[in-house]
Amino acid sequence: MFTTNEQFSKFSLGGVETALRFAQISLDSTEKLVKFNLEVSKQSLEDNIKVAQDLAGAKDPQEAVARINKLATESVEQAVTNSRNVYEIVTQAQGELAKLAEENLGTLNKSLINVIEDIAKNAPAGSEVTVNAVKTSVAAAAAAINSFTKAAQQVNEFAETSVKAASSATADAVKATTKRASNTSAS
């Protein structure tokens, strides 16, 4: 016989647990981002004070330009580093949420198959073809979701590699430009 109340109770409890895990992951990630932003703001304030003091100590315009170029390079490098850190926090949260979704889809799929099998046991004679068609549809949907999940992971890995390459290229370009500017101003 069906134990629908028990099945619905388990399903509801699973949903509540999933919602709580989702909320915990979201709050942890938000906390990391806020903490990081506060640290960056504090460091930025300290850096601005240092910059003002450093520029005030310049003895001539060429020295001031050289110091400004150096500060610009350091600023861009810091911005690239900060972007990487934010990207890592977001990527970590995305990975945890994807894992949670994948776990829940697996559990949902198993539960659905169990319900279908329970229905099949009590189904009238001659309904085997319909039950098998439903089972096949559920299996096909699960395979499609699995393929979609794998494709999304591949896109995420590609994006991560691209972001790392772009940030390294940006930092290298800034260093090269600053070096050229320093050589030009020294001439």
Side-chain angles (χ1 to χ4, degrees):
M1 201 89 250
F2 292 114
T3 57
T4 36
N5 287 337
E6 183 180 323
Q7 289 172 340
F8 284 130
S9 178
K10 285 181 182 179
F11 184 74
S12 296
L13 181 60
V16 169
E17 288 174 357
T18 299
L20 290 173
R21 283 183 60 199
F22 179 85
Q24 187 64 50
I25 291 168
S26 299
L27 287 173
D28 289 346
S29 299
T30 301
E31 180 182 10
K32 288 177 186 176
L33 284 172
V34 168
K35 183 179 178 183
F36 177 73
N37 282 330
L38 287 173
E39 290 172 3
V40 168
S41 296
K42 181 180 176 184
Q43 186 62 46
S44 178
L45 182 61
E46 291 171 4
D47 290 347
N48 285 334
I49 292 169
K50 184 180 173 185
V51 166
Q53 291 171 344
D54 195 34
L55 287 177
K59 296 175 184 165
D60 59 36
Q62 287 180 342
E63 185 180 346
V65 169
R67 288 182 182 190
I68 289 172
N69 285 338
K70 181 183 174 194
L71 294 171
T73 301
E74 291 171 358
S75 295
V76 170
E77 289 173 357
Q78 188 61 44
V80 169
T81 300
N82 292 345
S83 297
R84 284 182 190 158
N85 290 337
V86 169
Y87 182 78
E88 287 174 10
I89 293 169
V90 171
T91 301
Q92 181 184 9
Q94 179 187 11
E96 290 177 23
L97 292 172
K99 182 179 175 185
L100 178 63
E102 192 174 319
E103 289 172 3
N104 283 310
L105 285 174
T107 302
L108 179 63
N109 190 33
K110 288 177 187 176
S111 298
L112 191 55
I113 289 173
N114 288 338
V115 168
I116 292 170
E117 288 176 358
D118 285 346
I119 291 172
K121 290 177 187 175
N122 297 314
S127 62
E128 294 85 16
V129 173
T130 304
V131 171
N132 286 334
V134 171
K135 282 184 181 180
T136 302
S137 297
V138 169
I145 290 171
N146 189 29
S147 295
F148 178 74
T149 302
K150 287 181 182 178
Q153 288 172 345
Q154 289 173 343
V155 168
N156 187 36
E157 290 170 7
F158 176 75
E160 186 172 347
T161 303
S162 298
V163 166
K164 286 179 181 178
S167 62
S168 293
T170 301
D172 293 344
V174 168
K175 287 178 187 177
T177 303
T178 303
K179 189 174 182 178
R180 278 185 261 142
S182 294
N183 291 339
T184 304
S185 65
S187 301

